[in-house]
Amino acid sequence: MKIGFIGLGVMGRPMAKNLIRAGHELTVADHHPEHIAELVELGAKPAACGKEAAEGAEVVITMLPNSPQVEAAVCDEDGILAGSHPGQILIDMSSIAPLASHSLAERCRQAGVTMLDAPVSGGEPKAIDGTLSIMAGGDAETFEEVKSLLLEMGSSAVHCGPCGAGNTVKLANQIIVAVNIAAVAEAFTLAVRTEVKPEVLFEAIRGGLAGSTVMEAKAPMMITGHRQPGFRIDLHIKDLNNALETGHAAGAPLPLTAQVMEMLELLSNQGFGAEDHSALARYYELLSGVALHS
Ligand code: NAD
């Protein structure tokens, strides 16, 4: 397939690499020339903007930070819609506000382009392995048309409902992850304060009901003090903001989300926004005066 790919960050780069390995012809765009160069070395064509990446492509994929960046990449003068043709499919794999997905899909529809929102879960390691979980919203027929393409980047692709549903599911995912990380950091702080070694706590409970994918991935980072993202605190703030806005509009109360949002905001204000979200442990270190790592 001829694919335009826009957004070659932590996630977009390995996803685009997997598509090249699967034999697709990629034209790639990003604000960072060095990200483009990495893909060009593997056989991709460089594009100066979304318009150029979209020209002649059957499918265009975006993997950008948030709603404003996707809106710009799609709607700007040199954006995707300026280079698209009727019948083209746009798959936005960024995690953005469901309402933004709705209005973008409408702009696309007016240009004869069908849009799916298809955010992912799994982080950089699963983007590299091509084992992301993909949750899609939009027209069911279009989803079936591109499902095999999605499965070249992920191990599962689930159609969740109409446009925006993929992002609603992603927000639910982000709430569960954020609250789970906070619970792990809180429980580990109790253990350390009462002189149980964090490694011992992890080993003792990981196989029980409290064990989780989140604990498996994040407890070792808390114990070693490894803060390299992974998933940045500032990106998680963006997701929880979108979750709170969506919850308020829908009448769904999200008190735990609001609480963890404030913890993350504090850390971002203290200059830790670029660290991995497991650095939520820092919040408890500030409260308790003890670090989880030695
Ligand atoms: P990132 O910040 O590493 O990458 C974003 C890339 O987009 C950057 O390279 C930037 O230069 C480029 N960009 C921004 N605006 C652009 C524009 N208008 N035109 C062209 N390029 C532009 O972000 P990421 O970690 O790759 O995340 C991308 C999306 O995936 C986000 O919505 C994030 O929430 C989601 N996500 C991230 C992870 C993770 O673990 N990092 C996991 C799941 C989902």
Side-chain angles (χ1 to χ4, degrees):
M1 258 185 179
K2 287 187 97 176
I3 299 172
F5 201 110
I6 298 144
L8 304 168
V10 171
M11 297 296 285
R13 276 201 307 286
M15 290 162 69
K17 285 178 188 174
N18 283 333
L19 292 177
I20 292 174
R21 281 189 205 107
H24 300 291
E25 254 180 68
L26 260 65
T27 305
V28 298
D30 192 278
H31 282 163
H32 292 284
E34 68 275 18
H35 292 174
I36 296 181
E38 204 176 312
L39 270 291
V40 168
E41 245 174 58
L42 298 176
K45 281 191 208 143
C49 56
K51 174 176 181 279
E52 229 177 274
E55 277 164 353
E58 293 153 74
V59 171
V60 180
I61 295 175
T62 43
M63 192 54 173
L64 299 162
N66 197 9
S67 318
Q69 290 80 24
V70 180
E71 273 155 13
V74 175
C75 304
D76 275 2
E77 241 172 54
D78 60 354
I80 293 163
L81 288 182
S84 67
H85 56 267
Q88 195 172 57
I89 297 172
L90 168 64
I91 311 175
D92 177 35
M93 302 191 76
S94 331
S95 308
I96 71 169
L99 282 174
S101 291
H102 271 285
S103 61
L104 277 168
E106 181 51 28
R107 294 283 293 271
C108 288
R109 197 190 59 76
Q110 286 165 10
V113 173
T114 309
M115 182 182 133
L116 297 177
D117 56 307
V120 308
S121 170
E124 189 186 15
K126 289 187 178 234
I128 293 170
D129 295 348
T131 56
L132 292 165
S133 299
I134 300 170
M135 41 217 96
D139 173 56
E141 245 174 57
T142 308
F143 171 75
E144 286 306 324
E145 212 178 306
V146 298
K147 190 172 176 186
S148 58
L149 176 68
L150 295 175
L151 289 175
E152 280 158 358
M153 295 175 280
S155 54
S156 77
V158 176
H159 184 243
C160 303
C163 182
N167 271 308
T168 304
V169 170
K170 173 67 185 179
L171 291 179
N173 180 86
Q174 293 305 82
I175 291 172
I176 293 167
V177 170
V179 174
N180 203 339
I181 293 177
V184 169
E186 188 162 309
F188 274 62
T189 303
L190 170 71
V192 173
R193 256 295 178 208
T194 50
E195 292 175 351
V196 173
K197 288 200 172 85
E199 310 79 33
V200 173
L201 171 66
F202 182 44
E203 208 43 50
I205 67 173
R206 63 195 291 196
L209 191 56
S212 66
T213 311
V214 165
M215 190 192 285
E216 286 298 318
K218 302 301 172 183
M221 293 179 80
M222 292 179 191
I223 294 169
T224 57
H226 177 87
R227 320 270 196 209
Q228 197 70 21
F231 191 70
R232 294 196 306 276
I233 282 180
D234 283 341
L235 277 181
H236 216 140
I237 289 175
K238 174 264 297 182
D239 287 336
L240 296 191
N241 235 335
N242 286 339
L244 289 168
E245 270 182 26
T246 307
H248 291 154
L254 306 174
L256 291 175
T257 306
Q259 184 80 42
V260 182
M261 172 76 174
E262 292 301 323
M263 297 178 189
L264 291 171
E265 282 280 10
L266 177 138
L267 293 173
S268 184
N269 292 340
Q270 301 276 327
F272 303 125
E275 292 192 353
D276 187 75
H277 50 176
S278 58
L280 250 173
R282 280 192 190 277
Y283 180 83
Y284 288 93
E285 289 170 17
L286 288 169
L287 292 183
S288 69
V290 289
L292 294 184
H293 58 95
S294 43

